[in-house]
Amino acid sequence: MNNFSKIAISDAHSKLILAGEHAVVYGKPAIAIPFPLKVTSIVEKSNGSIIFESDIYTGFISNMPVKLKGISNCIKETLKHLNKPEENLKIKIISSIPIGRGLGSSAAISISIVRSLFSFFKKRLTENELFSLVQIAENYAHGNSSGLDIMAILSKYPILFEKERGILPIKSKSSLYIVVADTGKTSDTRVAVGNVRKRYNLNPKNMQKSLDKIEEITIEIKKTLLNGNIKLLGKLLTDNHNELINIGVSDKDLNDLVKTALSSNALGAKLTGGGLGGCMIALANSPQHARLISNELIESGASQSWYFSTNEDIVMEVN
Ligand code: MEV
């Protein structure tokens, strides 16, 4: 019997950060929810050097572009861990998660690849193995990753995450109607995390004040999820956005989309993920309201928008 499968297929979903991005790198809590956009990784036998096939790059993994270096390192380390040579494989990626937009595409791609490589070689994968292999790609993508994206992508539920304490699943009392909009600009999380670090070193007192405020907001947001106070949740999301402006990770496009959402009566809005480009989210009070906000965001320049309810697995796309 072969010690590998004919073909192995694995998925991972995307994530949205509701609160606490960046502050989480400094040990503060963050809250993330699953976002049902998916990536699928398909591993098959081939001949010669490993071929990577995706929308953004197709070719040998040894020639992968710099922005995919974390992923190629993750593939190499996974094969080393499995005691398999770096050859005779084709890894195909099919993804509906836009890359570099703060939606966790790098972690989702790496998670689906590690899962499909283990499944291809018929090996059992523990959560610890998965976390440490994917963290290789994440540390490359984020500079020094908190681990939040990986844990959010691995979870089926909203989570509260702290670097030192791990995750706590949160059972939200009400369904949330969430709108996501893409500025159309790539957000480089590594640069954003590095900028926050530089700013912190220059002015630790001011930055600590913002990080403490974000922590307070995140704890309040957790309470609103548990007690279903959606109106207050909206206000807190916008408060979190204002603190993200203070720590220097928002930009004009994100702020304009947040303003558009608020003027369409969103309950609240903020950037999500690393910032400096990428995506923002808004909280609506019904699916119809979510659709309206999504349309307004497209009208005012978003390159893509989605809306969904947290109690369903379906995402509506507007573009
Ligand atoms: C990126 O999705 C989240 C950041 O907080 C970085 C990290 O937690 O590693 C900006």
Side-chain angles (χ1 to χ4, degrees):
M1 207 178 73
N2 278 336
N3 60 354
F4 59 86
S5 314
K6 215 164 168 207
I7 186 165
I9 304 175
S10 298
D11 293 331
H13 62 70
S14 172
K15 60 86 201 174
L16 297 171
I17 300 179
L18 277 196
E21 53 270 90
H22 287 288
V24 69
V25 174
Y26 296 78
K28 305 292 193 192
I31 296 175
I33 60 170
F35 179 29
L37 295 183
K38 263 195 190 153
V39 51
T40 302
S41 155
I42 304 164
V43 174
E44 280 177 282
K45 191 172 163 16
S46 84
N47 287 321
S49 301
I50 300 179
I51 297 166
F52 186 85
E53 199 180 306
S54 73
D55 277 351
I56 50 164
Y57 169 78
T58 292
F60 296 133
I61 63 158
S62 47
N63 298 338
M64 247 144 106
V66 176
K67 63 178 172 183
L68 296 178
K69 196 115 198 109
I71 292 172
S72 65
N73 287 347
C74 171
I75 295 171
K76 289 178 188 168
E77 286 302 318
T78 303
L79 290 171
K80 202 192 272 176
H81 184 87
L82 287 166
N83 237 330
K84 301 291 174 191
E86 279 175 35
E87 58 187 22
N88 301 337
L89 291 174
K90 184 173 106 179
I91 302 173
K92 182 172 175 176
I93 303 296
I94 302 167
S95 180
S96 59
I97 311 172
I99 298 214
R101 299 296 206 276
L103 301 180
S105 64
S106 74
I109 291 174
S110 307
I111 287 171
S112 69
I113 290 176
V114 174
R115 281 178 171 158
S116 58
L117 283 172
F118 269 72
S119 156
F120 184 80
F121 290 110
K122 299 182 178 173
K123 289 277 190 266
R124 218 178 66 81
L125 173 65
T126 65
E127 189 135 309
N128 280 346
E129 281 173 314
L130 180 58
F131 186 88
S132 56
L133 290 166
V134 174
Q135 189 71 338
I136 294 166
E138 286 302 277
N139 277 335
Y140 186 84
H142 295 191
N144 181 13
S145 160
S146 69
L148 167 64
D149 285 15
I150 306 177
M151 295 320 273
I153 287 165
L154 291 178
S155 174
K156 288 195 188 110
Y157 311 101
I159 54 163
L160 181 104
F161 172 86
E162 276 174 81
K163 243 178 13 176
E164 299 304 325
R165 294 201 194 153
I167 62 161
L168 184 77
I170 302 177
K171 189 149 174 36
S172 172
K173 189 164 177 196
S174 321
S175 305
L176 306 179
Y177 301 106
I178 305 236
V179 178
V180 185
D182 185 355
T183 58
K185 300 221 173 84
T186 305
S187 138
D188 188 332
T189 305
R190 195 185 171 91
V191 169
V193 169
N195 284 356
V196 174
R197 175 65 63 196
K198 277 186 213 142
R199 237 172 138 116
Y200 191 95
N201 292 341
L202 281 174
N203 199 340
K205 223 163 140 199
N206 260 359
M207 287 295 275
Q208 196 55 52
K209 219 164 123 194
S210 276
L211 298 177
D212 290 346
K213 188 85 210 316
I214 293 175
E215 176 177 27
E216 257 172 54
I217 294 169
T218 305
I219 292 167
E220 286 307 306
I221 286 185
K222 178 189 160 204
K223 289 185 195 154
T224 63
L225 290 173
L226 294 174
N227 66 23
N229 188 344
I230 299 301
K231 212 167 148 203
L232 179 58
L233 167 61
K235 180 196 168 297
L236 292 164
L237 293 178
T238 312
D239 290 349
N240 192 167
H241 182 71
N242 291 331
E243 290 306 327
L244 290 165
I245 295 177
N246 284 346
I247 65 168
V249 296
S250 193
D251 63 15
K252 185 170 179 318
D253 292 334
L254 287 164
N255 294 342
D256 286 350
L257 292 180
V258 165
K259 273 188 208 136
T260 301
L262 294 176
S263 58
S264 309
N265 293 324
L267 301 171
K270 68 182 277 289
L271 71 84
T272 187
L276 299 178
C279 287
M280 53 76 68
I281 54 172
L283 184 65
N285 50 40
S286 68
Q288 295 74 13
H289 186 209
R291 188 175 63 220
L292 181 139
I293 298 171
S294 247
N295 285 329
E296 290 293 329
L297 290 166
I298 291 288
E299 282 288 301
S300 64
S303 65
Q304 243 178 319
S305 180
W306 304 262
Y307 59 94
F308 71 108
S309 156
T310 51
N311 67 352
E312 281 170 18
D313 233 14
I314 306 159
V315 180
M316 304 303 291
E317 189 175 339
V318 181
N319 49 26

